[in-house]
Amino acid sequence: MRRRAELALALGLGAAALAAADPAGAFPQRDWPSRMDAARVYAENREGLVGFALVDERGHLHGHRARAQVPTASLLKAMLLVAYLRLARGRELADGERSLLGPMIRRSDNAAVGVLLPRVGAARMYRLARRAGMTAFRLAWPVWGLSQTTPRDQARFFYRLDALVPARHRGYALRLLRTIVPSQRWGVGSLSIDRWRLHFKGGWGSGTGLVDHQSALLTCPGSRLSLAITTRFNPDHDYGKATLRGIASRLLGELRLTLANGSLGTC
């Protein structure tokens, strides 16, 4: 009996140690199926074509029309940022490089892409896509906004984004994606997400509503989520922005970092 008690105690201590070593294991899995159902019903009642994908805290992918091919528009800029920083992994960035990368992400400057994308080249963009687990990415040039992606690929890329950036430049990349200018913080960027850090990029083509997308990474110590929403053929840009917010709020609304004992965690 004593040996059994000692064995049980040892197993209990081992489980506790594993939970401590894996903070994500301390968080209960949220009710993603019900959130996905609510978002799916909303999407199917919107004009245009809506797709989305979410990678949850356990790394499981959920989606609706998640394999639908869409033009990247400015979502390509987040990939270009990472590819460029990988190219510069062995050195600090020059002021001239920062003057291109910063505006490209924070206020979605298009001219910077014309300078940076030729420096990176197609081979490095495709290499990054493979590393991120993206299977449908296709680069278009010179009309780079017509490059192809899917919600599934975007959610996978953003889930791994910080790991794909060299450690030297990781803080810089995340800071850019966290400080999108106020005038472009619609959709997921307009939500109040308790204690999570939001990093995101949008793509909206010419602002007509033909294309309105967003991809995002949400982080907290020991936990992370990624989300990608794509829309096409909206009646106008404002309608597309409303659709992005509607999907994001149904998936992420009232999102709280709750520990297994029911107490509120801190980021």
Side-chain angles (χ1 to χ4, degrees):
M1 291 293 292
R2 183 176 177 179
R3 284 186 178 179
R4 288 182 182 177
E6 289 175 346
L7 178 60
L9 178 60
L11 289 172
L13 290 172
L18 284 173
D22 178 17
F27 299 101
Q29 192 165 14
R30 293 176 176 83
D31 186 14
W32 293 117
S34 66
R35 289 174 181 265
M36 290 295 296
D37 286 345
R40 189 176 297 110
V41 169
Y42 175 81
E44 289 175 349
N45 285 279
R46 298 295 286 174
E47 293 187 46
L49 300 175
V50 183
F52 53 89
L54 180 143
V55 180
D56 68 22
E57 311 95 316
R58 303 297 198 275
H60 299 157
L61 190 142
H62 312 262
H64 169 69
R65 299 192 72 251
R67 297 177 185 267
Q69 290 267 5
V70 297
T72 61
S74 289
L75 292 185
L76 185 76
K77 293 169 183 171
M79 290 185 66
L80 180 55
L81 169 69
V82 175
Y84 195 90
L85 295 177
R86 290 174 67 86
L87 179 61
R89 68 170 63 247
R91 60 177 177 82
E92 295 300 323
L93 295 171
D95 290 345
E97 292 170 311
R98 290 174 179 268
S99 71
L100 292 168
L101 292 167
M104 181 181 74
I105 298 301
R106 297 191 63 246
R107 58 180 177 83
S108 208
D109 178 61
N110 288 331
V113 181
V115 177
L116 296 171
L117 189 53
R119 294 184 190 176
V120 169
R124 289 189 181 92
M125 293 293 285
Y126 280 110
R127 192 177 305 135
L128 172 63
R130 289 193 296 271
R131 281 189 174 275
M134 304 171 78
T135 60
F137 174 69
R138 298 292 182 272
L139 180 65
W141 181 259
V143 188
W144 50 266
L146 295 181
S147 300
Q148 295 291 299
T149 191
T150 65
R152 175 189 177 100
D153 276 3
Q154 285 293 309
R156 285 176 165 175
F157 171 67
F158 266 74
Y159 192 78
R160 298 172 170 89
L161 187 145
D162 49 349
L164 292 166
V165 178
R168 179 192 294 266
H169 302 306
R170 192 168 296 146
Y172 174 69
L174 293 176
R175 185 166 63 254
L176 293 183
L177 292 162
R178 195 169 61 245
T179 57
I180 302 298
V181 295
S183 61
Q184 295 177 9
R185 299 188 71 88
W186 55 71
V188 67
S190 67
L191 298 183
S192 177
I193 302 172
D194 186 59
R195 304 187 180 192
W196 292 78
R197 277 196 163 186
L198 173 66
H199 316 80
F200 76 101
K201 184 71 189 80
W204 57 97
S206 58
T208 62
L210 185 62
V211 171
D212 277 295
H213 309 322
Q214 284 183 332
S215 298
L217 167 69
L218 294 91
T219 61
C220 225
S223 196
R224 67 176 46 229
L225 308 167
S226 67
L227 170 66
I229 310 167
T230 65
T231 74
R232 297 201 67 189
F233 310 118
N234 300 286
D236 54 49
H237 186 35
D238 285 339
Y239 188 95
K241 291 191 290 186
T243 298
L244 293 172
R245 181 180 172 86
I247 297 295
S249 64
R250 282 160 177 78
L251 292 172
L252 304 178
E254 299 302 316
L255 191 63
R256 295 293 184 266
L257 184 64
T258 308
L259 300 178
N261 63 7
S263 63
L264 194 66
T266 57
C267 292

